[in-house]
Amino acid sequence: MNERLTSVAIPMSVERKGQMPKHVAIIMDGNGRWAKEKGKLRLVGHKNGVQAVRKAVAFAAEQRIESLTLYAFSSENWARPASEVSGLMDLFMLALNREVGKLHKNNIKLQILGDVSQFSRALQKKIAEAEALTAANSGLMLNIAANYGGQWDIVQAAQKLAEKVKRGELETAMISAAVFQEQLVTGRQAPVDLLIRTSGEQRISNFLLWQLAYAELYFSPVLWPDFDEQEFSNAIVAFQQRERRFGATD
């Protein structure tokens, strides 16, 4: 990659000849605990988590993964303390200002998944500008899930289809799993092959519920700010060692 997002050393343990996941999703968990262990404010953990995001994006691009979806802010996160939410919104704006140009130069397409209508007008404008700038890029598809929830995603897809039926554009008998999937915020991207969650927690927390139907799950004990290329590589190696049958026999 020219003008890399960060310096990346590709771990030798990743086998190019092995099956690589097309779509990787990551629940970036542990920023708060990372900060607490160091006696710092939670927002410091979130700021250090941005460095891990850079590493993950660069690594995914180097490995030619088609889609990388990062869970940045769930629809439930609004319930956190107002000061933390405000800090996260400021950090989101700052990251967009600093990183979008680099993403564009590296042919990475950015898409924000979620209900952005609840964000400030300034942030909505910045999101629209970032998506427009990178829209024609053909490299890594980088999805940032912000104000996102898997149940919300399914409901909004159902609402879109219901409106099409109401307008006479679609018959209910024509609604298949494939048709439904196209209405999700990930559209025609491949379903998630590998889900990674950091910090040792073992749940999916209302993330990509439809898209995770046959995903392999990898739970890392590493707190998100410490997640690096080697740990990403470990997850991919674990994925490559699994037998994926999608409900069928060997």
Side-chain angles (χ1 to χ4, degrees), residues 95-113:
L96 286 172
N97 283 326
R98 289 182 175 178
E99 306 299 331
V100 171
K102 299 175 186 177
L103 295 176
H104 183 49
K105 288 178 181 179
N106 285 284
N107 196 32
I108 295 171
K109 182 176 180 178
L110 176 67
Q111 181 176 349
I112 307 302
L113 309 183

Side-chain angles (χ1 to χ4, degrees), residues 38-245:
K38 292 173 171 49
K40 300 181 182 296
L41 297 175
R42 288 176 60 86
L43 193 57
V44 174
H46 295 308
K47 289 180 178 178
N48 279 271
V50 174
Q51 301 293 333
V53 169
R54 291 194 187 104
K55 293 177 182 179
V57 172
F59 181 83
E62 292 281 359
Q63 295 294 311
R64 298 185 179 88
I65 291 169
E66 293 180 7
S67 296
L68 176 66
T69 302
L70 304 177
Y71 206 6
F73 189 84
S74 77
S75 51
E76 290 80 22
N77 286 159
W78 293 107
R80 292 185 176 186
S83 58
E84 182 177 353
V85 172
S86 176
L88 284 168
M89 294 301 106
D90 291 342
L91 186 59
F92 193 10
M93 178 71 83
L94 182 63
L96 286 172
N97 283 326
R98 289 182 175 178
E99 306 299 331
V100 171
K102 299 175 186 177
L103 295 176
H104 183 49
K105 288 178 181 179
N106 285 284
N107 196 32
I108 295 171
K109 182 176 180 178
L110 176 67
Q111 181 176 349
I112 307 302
L113 309 183
D115 181 6
V116 301
S117 66
Q118 294 188 44
F119 295 144
S120 68
R121 290 184 179 180
L123 183 52
Q124 289 182 53
K125 183 174 182 290
K126 182 60 65 175
I127 288 171
E129 291 173 350
E131 291 181 331
L133 176 64
T134 63
N137 292 343
S138 58
L140 173 69
M141 178 75 246
L142 175 60
N143 303 306
I144 303 295
N147 196 25
Y148 174 88
Q151 293 175 335
W152 166 86
D153 194 2
I154 292 171
V155 169
Q156 66 85 31
Q159 290 172 337
K160 288 180 183 177
L161 291 173
E163 284 297 322
K164 290 187 177 184
V165 172
K166 183 179 179 180
R167 293 193 300 265
E169 299 173 4
L170 184 70
E171 295 181 7
T172 55
M174 298 170 60
I175 300 176
S176 63
V179 169
F180 189 92
Q181 182 171 308
E182 289 182 2
Q183 301 304 315
L184 297 170
V185 291
T186 48
R188 296 186 178 182
Q189 296 180 53
V192 177
D193 293 310
L194 171 63
L195 170 70
I196 302 169
R197 180 169 187 148
T198 57
S199 87
E201 299 292 344
Q202 298 186 16
R203 53 182 178 272
I204 59 176
S205 298
N206 194 24
F207 184 43
L208 299 174
L209 299 179
W210 178 285
Q211 297 90 332
L212 289 174
Y214 283 101
E216 298 297 324
L217 309 182
Y218 182 86
F219 299 109
S220 169
V222 174
L223 299 177
W224 177 248
D226 294 327
F227 188 85
D228 58 13
E229 300 85 3
Q230 184 58 62
E231 188 60 17
F232 203 154
S233 171
N234 293 342
I236 292 179
V237 170
F239 170 83
Q240 292 175 333
Q241 293 173 345
R242 297 180 188 179
E243 184 178 6
R244 307 186 74 202
R245 297 192 296 273

